[in-house]
Amino acid sequence: MMMNGAGECIGRERCEELAKSSSFYRKVYSEIEEIGWEPLRRLGGDLTFFSFQIFDKKGRAHNLEFQLNRDYPNSPPSVSADVPYMFTLEWSTSSRLKDVMYQFQKHLDYLQEFWSVLDDIDKSLCIVDAKQPSRASAIRRIHAGNHCIVIVHIDFKDPKSLPECRFIGPVPPATHMNSLHMLWRRNSKKWSKERSFPENLECILGTELPKPLGLQEEDNQQQVECGICYAQFLPTDEELGARSGTRTDYTCENISCNKSFHSLCLTDWLRSITTTRQSFDVLFGNCPYCSDPVAVKINNK
């Protein structure tokens, strides 16, 4: 049962009644009272199950659940919580519930950086199938555009390090997914603990990843993907010189099409078409999507 308002009083009265009936109830009652009734959230009728809500240093709420055997404290309580892994409980017959709370609080302190990274991901990127992503999971499934998903596994021991990563998408694999996979393998060494997780991911993949609906409206420039390479930014590559990492910079003039491209991608595509003609440093051809005329200035450097 939930413990709030009048429910706390009823639960406490019931607990007091049980405490009078046996040493087990008396001990559990006294140890709960030692911790305090305010953080108590659930209480089983026989006092063998209950939970407390604990706040960490960042104000995140965590529920710690206890399951007791009748021979408590000879056998330690079973504990569970919304964490990626549980701490190793130190217990003796002289231990009390408040000792478990203290150990759990230290465990929460250790996981602060891990949860800060998860919070940064959850608020800055578009997470798949998760209205409220779990703090107990080190895995995040992130939208990468064009029906592709990046699955990252955060190391809770070193959360700012390069994560394990894999890509899933359409079958057979689309050009966009193959491009992301290639960029990940090529640029992984550029991962820096000085940058945030979203910044690192976008830097390595050379694109601005989709954002949650609440953040999309904040981007007045509405960055769009290139209609040829399906990325918003060119790869971060020394061979591209000043164009390395640049965003889409050419838009089809047909209002009903309005497709955007990187000039470099459009130039390469036009050169592969036999009907394209060149005058001085300008290529004349047709839009890959609507076939309307396009003209792109060649940038050799």
Side-chain angles (χ1 to χ4, degrees), residues 1-16 37-38 40-41 43:
M1 60 182 172
M2 298 301 295
M3 304 299 295
N4 51 53
E8 283 190 19
C9 295
I10 295 173
R12 184 170 184 174
E13 290 173 0
R14 173 60 177 161
C15 199
E16 288 174 341
W37 294 94
E38 184 177 353
L40 188 65
R41 288 296 175 267
L43 180 66

Side-chain angles (χ1 to χ4, degrees), residues 15 23-32 35 40 42-52 64-80 89 91-92 95-98 100:
C15 199
S23 59
F24 171 79
Y25 293 132
R26 287 196 297 272
K27 180 170 181 58
V28 174
Y29 171 79
S30 65
E31 292 189 18
I32 291 177
I35 293 171
L40 188 65
R42 293 174 63 91
L43 180 66
D46 60 358
L47 302 192
T48 60
F49 173 81
F50 45 88
S51 68
F52 292 93
L64 179 63
E65 297 183 346
F66 290 82
Q67 185 74 48
L68 304 182
N69 291 327
R70 285 291 181 174
D71 64 344
Y72 175 85
N74 292 325
S75 60
S78 297
V79 292
S80 60
L89 179 63
W91 186 261
S92 70
S95 297
R96 302 173 70 85
L97 294 178
K98 69 175 183 179
V100 181

Side-chain angles (χ1 to χ4, degrees), residues 178-234:
N178 288 334
S179 176
L180 292 177
H181 186 65
M182 178 189 67
L183 288 168
W184 179 265
R185 288 186 300 175
R186 185 171 66 184
N187 296 331
S188 291
K189 293 182 179 179
K190 296 181 180 180
W191 188 276
S192 171
K193 292 185 178 181
E194 303 303 315
R195 288 194 292 259
S196 70
F197 188 99
E199 288 173 339
N200 270 315
L201 200 57
E202 291 182 338
C203 176
I204 287 180
L205 298 181
T207 184
E208 184 175 352
L209 297 171
K211 292 179 173 56
L213 292 177
L215 292 180
Q216 289 179 4
E217 298 176 356
E218 296 179 6
D219 188 357
N220 296 326
Q221 295 184 349
Q222 192 83 33
Q223 299 304 325
V224 293
E225 298 172 340
C226 172
I228 295 174
C229 74
Y230 303 109
Q232 292 176 345
F233 297 87
L234 287 173

Side-chain angles (χ1 to χ4, degrees), residues 6-296:
E8 283 190 19
C9 295
I10 295 173
R12 184 170 184 174
E13 290 173 0
R14 173 60 177 161
C15 199
E16 288 174 341
E17 291 177 8
L18 291 172
K20 298 175 183 178
S21 62
S22 76
S23 59
F24 171 79
Y25 293 132
R26 287 196 297 272
K27 180 170 181 58
V28 174
Y29 171 79
S30 65
E31 292 189 18
I32 291 177
E33 191 166 60
E34 192 174 45
I35 293 171
W37 294 94
E38 184 177 353
L40 188 65
R41 288 296 175 267
R42 293 174 63 91
L43 180 66
D46 60 358
L47 302 192
T48 60
F49 173 81
F50 45 88
S51 68
F52 292 93
Q53 187 176 70
I54 312 300
F55 291 91
D56 63 27
K57 291 180 177 179
K58 295 291 185 178
R60 306 180 187 96
H62 305 271
N63 289 324
L64 179 63
E65 297 183 346
F66 290 82
Q67 185 74 48
L68 304 182
N69 291 327
R70 285 291 181 174
D71 64 344
Y72 175 85
N74 292 325
S75 60
S78 297
V79 292
S80 60
D82 55 341
V83 293
Y85 72 102
M86 285 302 294
F87 59 97
T88 301
L89 179 63
E90 297 179 2
W91 186 261
S92 70
T93 54
S94 62
S95 297
R96 302 173 70 85
L97 294 178
K98 69 175 183 179
D99 299 319
V100 181
M101 299 286 279
Y102 174 74
Q103 293 177 51
F104 182 61
Q105 191 69 63
K106 288 182 63 178
H107 190 57
L108 295 182
D109 292 346
Y110 174 75
L111 290 167
Q112 288 306 290
E113 188 174 56
F114 169 74
W115 281 320
S116 292
V117 170
L118 287 187
D119 286 349
D120 198 14
I121 294 172
D122 295 342
K123 74 179 182 181
S124 302
L125 301 174
C126 192
I127 308 301
V128 180
D129 301 329
K131 293 182 179 180
Q132 183 62 47
S134 171
R135 293 196 186 99
S137 175
I139 295 175
R140 288 295 185 266
R141 293 158 50 88
I142 302 169
H143 277 295
N146 290 311
H147 308 292
C148 293
I149 296 172
V150 183
I151 301 178
V152 295
H153 189 287
I154 313 302
D155 183 357
F156 55 79
K157 294 181 180 178
D158 189 11
K160 289 191 174 182
S161 64
L162 179 72
E164 295 180 17
C165 179
R166 63 189 181 94
F167 302 85
I168 60 174
V171 178
T175 302
H176 182 57
M177 191 179 77
N178 288 334
S179 176
L180 292 177
H181 186 65
M182 178 189 67
L183 288 168
W184 179 265
R185 288 186 300 175
R186 185 171 66 184
N187 296 331
S188 291
K189 293 182 179 179
K190 296 181 180 180
W191 188 276
S192 171
K193 292 185 178 181
E194 303 303 315
R195 288 194 292 259
S196 70
F197 188 99
E199 288 173 339
N200 270 315
L201 200 57
E202 291 182 338
C203 176
I204 287 180
L205 298 181
T207 184
E208 184 175 352
L209 297 171
K211 292 179 173 56
L213 292 177
L215 292 180
Q216 289 179 4
E217 298 176 356
E218 296 179 6
D219 188 357
N220 296 326
Q221 295 184 349
Q222 192 83 33
Q223 299 304 325
V224 293
E225 298 172 340
C226 172
I228 295 174
C229 74
Y230 303 109
Q232 292 176 345
F233 297 87
L234 287 173
T236 51
D237 193 326
E238 294 179 358
E239 294 181 2
L240 295 179
R243 293 172 295 180
S244 175
T246 57
R247 63 188 57 176
T248 51
D249 58 352
Y250 186 96
T251 303
C252 176
E253 294 181 357
N254 181 346
I255 298 177
S256 62
C257 175
N258 205 38
K259 198 68 179 179
S260 295
F261 308 92
H262 298 114
S263 294
L264 180 63
C265 295
L266 188 56
T267 297
D268 291 342
W269 188 85
L270 289 172
R271 281 174 169 165
S272 69
I273 305 300
T274 57
T275 55
T276 299
R277 60 188 179 85
Q278 180 174 344
S279 176
F280 297 101
D281 60 346
V282 179
L283 291 177
F284 296 89
N286 303 94
C287 172
Y289 285 80
C290 70
S291 298
D292 266 22
V294 294
V296 185

